[in-house]
Amino acid sequence: MVPLRLLVILLALAISDLHSLTWFVNVSESEGPGTILQVFTFNCSSNTPTLELLRVQPPTTFFNTPSLAGREGIYVAKVTLSSSARLDALAVNHYELQLKYTCGNLMEEASLYLDVYRDPGHIQCAGRFVSPAGEIIQVPETVSPGALLYTLLFPGLEIQGAQMNITSAQDPPYFPGPFSIDEKGLLRAPTQGLKGQAQKVFQLQISVTFGQGQSCKGMLTVKVLPVHFSQVSFLKKTQDIIIHENLGPGSEVIQVQATGFDLRYEICSPVPSPLYSIGRVDGVVRTTMPLELAGTLSAGVVSTKLCVKAFEQLRPWASAKLILTVNVQPVNHWPPHCSPTLLVTEVPEVTPVGTILSTFMCTDPDSPDTNLHYQLRLHSPFNAASLCLHDRVLEVNTTLDCDTPGACFQLAASILVHDSGQPQMTRPLDYEQQRLYMLTILVIDHGQDWDPTNHRSGSCIITIEVEDVNDHAPECEPPFQELTISTPLGHNVEVTKMSCQILQEPQRLALSYSIVGGNHQSRFRLQGAVLVHNDPVFGSPWPQQPCTYELLIRVADAGSSIPHLSTTATIIVHLLPWKASTMATSTHRAIVPSRMIPQLVTDTEVFWQPEPWFVVVLTVTSAFLLLALGWLLSKLLWGLTQVLQAPRKPGKALLLNSIQRKERSIDGFMETSRMEMSQAPNSVLSLEHFDNKAQGARTSRDYLLNTCTGTQRWL
């Protein structure tokens, strides 16, 4: 028991969020009273919970108040069908139940959606025939023998092989002969007729049996009326009328009138009539459903032939018939739809006259073959004739001379497209013109079984709020910039900050910025409205020559509304290779009207501005150079001192020994300096006196020697 109880607790905890769930249940129309529709479990440990059925749409008594049982914080609720439940998918196939759950201070609501589906094996006996009073019909005593008196209609009986029988006694002297009824529910007069049976009443108990032992019983009362001579007639035997498809259910089509006493009206063909009904007393023909010609039943909606019968209430055999033909014409529901819906383009001022800018493809959702009419409306500049529209083609009409102030820097126009339907549709919604629409819907019940003349009606109000969608593209000031930059390695530099807004709707501050062209090697990026130059990525070479980037920046209104309107701004950036010196660039932007091409003047000044690290490197290098020069100078001075202190005329052997000792150490030096000495001017070498000759130990080459100064000359 403990594991089972633990499982129940875990299940309750897992599905206890009643307030966060919406249930969808499918149920057959054959389900009867007491059927469990939904079971749910939840926990409420602090208080005793309650579960209420707040409302049912459409209103009905088919559902019981939810039952609730449980203990120790775990509760099980059930929603069931009541004793009056008679589900019928043809009448109502969808119910919405609103439930209210209370646990202490916690109150939540949940919805249960119930869809009723057809059951081919489920047939109900409905209408006045199976009511306690039964059905009452009146027939004249002059009715023809075997004439059709009444038709019992039950949905689905024709496919179930239903059997109908008159179970009440039909023996003389009470009956002139037996009434008959067949499997189609057709009640016919006795073969002897009803002549002489005026003022008599015959009660027929009828039993209906269909599949798997299902059956129902009803009472049909036949009153025989005496025949008096009277005249019932219509002024015309046939009549044709035209109505529009936008008539809602219950709308008046026409009122027919016949001459006679205490008349009643009915539609005798088709039976039943799916599209139209007639007032039994007033003869007003009304629609019973939407007459949508685009639906699957459009073939039977376009033209409907009705047989309308007028008869005296007390003497139904005194009657007349009218053939009424109702023709339905389509109604214009939708405005034309065009592609593209928004066109933003740029053209040079040298564009030839007649150049096609765009061809608009528009269609009418109501009728694809309808003729559409196009009209061009220019907004700015006013009274401009720079553009023209030929049918669906937008062309350049005149030379686009943009040098004149305010001429054609930006042209705004709209194309009005309307169809030839009735009424003409041109209406998109405009938030700035009307933000709220309130529609009153009238609902009339035309399906009363007990009294067809008693109609109930109700109304509801539908409020439509128009969402604010931007109608204008942003504008940037200036729309064109030209800048020159030079950035050091390892730095990201802000290039410029764009200034854009929607002038017609200044409250719209949310704009999106994106680079849509010219950003080669991804040198630039946007941080909101700020354009930033990126430090080159690892391995990407730094440009050795000046380069120019022509960046196209798309500026669009941001938000949930669609479509987004945008404009394109141009920023030309001249990027200089980085050097120790920096070229300072000052850009002067001339203030010009928004519809003129801005004129930019750039002045360049060159000055010395080394980077701090370059100064440090230059200082350290100079110090090392000075130290090296000082050391070399000191060595030269020391060598000169040694030569001056040597004896003026040493012995030849001593000098040769000294030369041999030093030969190995200086031989390499002599070899390297030979070329330099050989290049000395002859005038200088001729001044030197050599008084001895020797040979190098390593090179075996002869050279001359000055024994006083130690100077040598290779031979």
Side-chain angles (χ1 to χ4, degrees), residues 358-360 373-377 387-397 414-417:
S358 179
T359 300
F360 294 89
H373 305 278
Y374 300 80
Q375 180 180 356
L376 178 65
R377 295 183 175 182
L387 304 177
C388 64
L389 186 70
H390 296 294
D391 193 13
R392 299 180 290 111
V393 181
L394 183 64
E395 299 179 355
V396 176
N397 190 42
S414 62
I415 297 178
L416 179 66
V417 184

Side-chain angles (χ1 to χ4, degrees), residues 405-410 475-480 503 591-598:
C408 63
F409 178 72
Q410 187 179 59
E475 297 183 18
C476 298
E477 183 62 32
F480 176 88
L503 299 179
I591 300 177
V592 295
S594 61
R595 294 190 178 92
M596 295 180 60
I597 296 180

Side-chain angles (χ1 to χ4, degrees), residues 162-379:
Q163 296 182 355
M164 298 187 184
N165 298 302
I166 301 176
T167 59
S168 57
Q170 298 191 76
D171 297 328
Y174 305 103
F175 284 86
F179 291 83
S180 63
I181 188 171
D182 59 15
E183 67 277 359
K184 295 182 179 180
L186 302 180
L187 178 68
R188 298 187 179 276
T191 55
Q192 295 87 347
L194 295 176
K195 190 66 174 177
Q197 306 296 323
Q199 306 297 340
K200 289 187 177 180
V201 177
F202 303 97
Q203 291 186 338
L204 306 178
Q205 185 74 35
I206 300 177
S207 174
V208 183
T209 303
F210 37 89
Q212 299 181 355
Q214 301 182 58
S215 63
C216 60
K217 294 182 179 180
M219 178 67 71
L220 183 63
T221 301
V222 181
K223 292 184 177 180
V224 182
L225 301 179
V227 175
H228 299 283
F229 295 100
S230 65
Q231 186 69 30
V232 178
S233 64
F234 285 98
L235 183 61
K236 297 180 180 180
K237 297 296 183 181
T238 61
Q239 188 173 357
D240 293 351
I241 60 172
I242 298 176
I243 63 174
H244 295 288
E245 66 171 341
N246 62 343
L247 291 181
S251 299
E252 180 176 340
V253 176
I254 192 176
Q255 183 177 20
V256 297
Q257 289 183 337
T259 59
F261 176 75
D262 195 14
L263 297 180
R264 298 293 183 265
Y265 300 90
E266 67 179 12
I267 296 177
C268 53
S269 177
V271 177
S273 177
L275 300 177
Y276 305 97
S277 65
I278 190 170
R280 189 174 177 85
V281 177
D282 57 12
V284 176
V285 178
R286 300 180 184 273
T287 60
T288 60
M289 62 183 299
L291 305 177
E292 293 291 342
L293 295 181
T296 57
L297 300 178
S298 59
V301 175
V302 174
S303 180
T304 303
K305 184 174 293 186
L306 302 176
C307 177
V308 178
K309 178 181 177 181
F311 58 93
E312 294 184 4
Q313 182 178 12
L314 298 179
R315 298 181 303 140
W317 57 88
S319 62
K321 293 182 179 180
L322 168 68
I323 303 300
L324 178 64
T325 303
V326 183
N327 300 300
V328 182
Q329 285 189 345
V331 174
N332 206 13
H333 289 289
W334 305 101
H337 175 74
C338 296
S339 176
T341 57
L342 176 66
L343 173 64
V344 179
T345 184
E346 294 181 356
V347 295
E349 63 176 336
V350 295
T351 301
V353 175
T355 299
I356 297 177
L357 300 179
S358 179
T359 300
F360 294 89
M361 303 298 296
C362 302
T363 58
D364 185 3
D366 294 307
S367 178
D369 300 329
T370 189
N371 293 324
L372 300 178
H373 305 278
Y374 300 80
Q375 180 180 356
L376 178 65
R377 295 183 175 182
L378 289 169
H379 299 306

Side-chain angles (χ1 to χ4, degrees), residues 120-137:
H122 177 69
I123 302 174
Q124 298 186 31
C125 294
R128 288 178 290 182
F129 167 71
V130 294
S131 65
E135 178 75 285
I136 300 176
I137 62 174

